Amino acid sequence: MRKKGSLFLALLLSAMILLAGCGAGNDSASGSSDDNTFKIGLEAGYAPFNWTQKDDSNGGVKISGTSEYAGGYDVEIAKKIADGLGKELVVVKTEWDGLVPSLTSGKIDAIIAGMSPTAERKETIDFSDNYYKSNLVMVVKKGGKYENAASIQDFKGAKVTAQLNTFHYSVIDQMEGVSKETAMDNFPAMRVALESGIIDGYVSERPEAVSAAAANENFAMVEFEDGFKTSEDDTAIAVGLQKGSELTDKINEILKGISEDERTEIMDAAIKNQPAAE
């Protein structure tokens, strides 16, 4: 009886060790603790910061779990950061509203998605130093009544919107007499709404507006002499990171090595290389 009991115990211990080994293998396969990758989240729908394309042309990076590729200013900055960290870049295409939850849950290591380090976001996540600074503008129909607006107060009667859960949407309140339409999920949707006349314009940052006008001859960018009142954090772009992340200081050092001239060159190339239509 003792021999049978010992044999049973040995078999039980072996099974437990085997199961434990399988569990560890599953964690590794999921990539949850892979130190050799740098996983970033972005929409891949905010040209020229980021977009989706069909191949690896102009430095496109494969989007994890798909046959598509991501390109744009954010992707080029992410590549430099990954190189500096000595890690393989992995792009995880994520809807805007899912970026912060994906970061805080550990599904991604960083948000590099044209995200501004606003005070509200800083309550939940940390940010690197800024890697781009821009101004707010409007995108309107070319040849329309608002193309020559010199002030944000020249939009009285206009139907205006911006992206959902961004500070872009809140600044519409500074425009007197406009119809503040329902916020939209992404920029491609706003471009379609503008093209079809559902809206008269949307709030954007200068690079996206230049990109929109370059992609569609019916669009025009409107810059202002008397524009939106914003803080520096509202119009800056930075890398989103988990609270207390050990990557923050490392990424800041890498960003210091990218000169303003180089950043301008990267943005100019992104505007030039964006897909003709999204």
Side-chain angles (χ1 to χ4, degrees), residues 61-263:
V61 175
K62 188 77 175 291
I63 297 174
S64 181
T66 76
S67 60
E68 298 175 319
Y69 292 77
Y73 182 82
D74 289 327
V75 174
E76 293 303 314
I77 294 296
K79 285 158 69 173
K80 289 184 176 294
I81 293 174
D83 286 344
L85 294 173
K87 297 178 181 293
E88 177 190 353
L89 178 63
V90 175
V91 174
V92 182
K93 189 172 182 177
T94 309
E95 290 297 322
W96 179 260
D97 283 351
L99 287 169
V100 171
S102 291
L103 177 64
T104 56
S105 67
K107 291 181 180 179
I108 56 176
D109 300 312
I111 298 170
I112 305 185
M115 180 173 281
S116 299
T118 62
E120 182 179 359
R121 292 186 183 121
K122 286 180 177 179
E123 294 177 3
T124 306
I125 62 177
D126 285 343
F127 284 93
S128 70
D129 293 337
N130 300 335
Y131 65 88
Y132 197 79
K133 178 77 166 62
S134 187
N135 296 317
L136 289 188
V137 298
M138 291 290 297
V139 178
V140 301
K141 275 284 190 70
K142 190 172 184 178
K145 62 184 294 187
Y146 302 106
E147 182 182 2
N148 297 316
S151 165
I152 61 172
Q153 307 311 340
D154 293 337
F155 279 79
K156 290 182 176 62
K159 295 175 289 185
V160 177
T161 191
Q163 188 178 26
L164 182 68
N165 291 331
T166 66
F167 84 98
H168 296 175
Y169 192 64
S170 65
V171 300
I172 296 175
D173 296 334
Q174 298 176 25
M175 306 173 77
E176 297 175 2
V178 302
S179 175
K180 186 177 183 181
E181 302 298 304
T182 302
M184 296 190 177
D185 288 337
N186 52 59
F187 282 81
M190 287 189 286
R191 292 185 185 188
V192 170
L194 179 60
E195 180 76 43
S196 63
I198 294 174
I199 58 173
D200 296 306
Y202 65 84
V203 181
S204 183
E205 292 177 59
R206 192 179 189 281
E208 192 282 333
V210 172
S211 176
N216 189 326
E217 61 182 9
N218 295 319
F219 293 167
M221 174 183 69
V222 180
E223 297 183 271
F224 303 106
E225 298 170 9
D226 178 20
F228 297 103
K229 300 297 185 292
T230 62
S231 70
E232 184 173 343
D233 283 349
D234 285 337
T235 53
I237 302 297
V239 179
L241 297 154
Q242 286 189 349
K243 283 287 187 182
S245 173
E246 62 180 18
L247 293 175
T248 305
D249 290 341
K250 297 177 183 177
I251 289 175
N252 284 339
E253 282 300 313
I254 295 167
L255 292 176
K256 286 179 183 177
I258 309 174
S259 68
E260 287 301 319
D261 286 345
E262 187 175 5
R263 296 180 194 205

Side-chain angles (χ1 to χ4, degrees), residues 12-23:
L12 181 61
L13 288 172
S14 296
M16 291 174 65
I17 292 171
L18 181 61
L19 287 172
C22 290

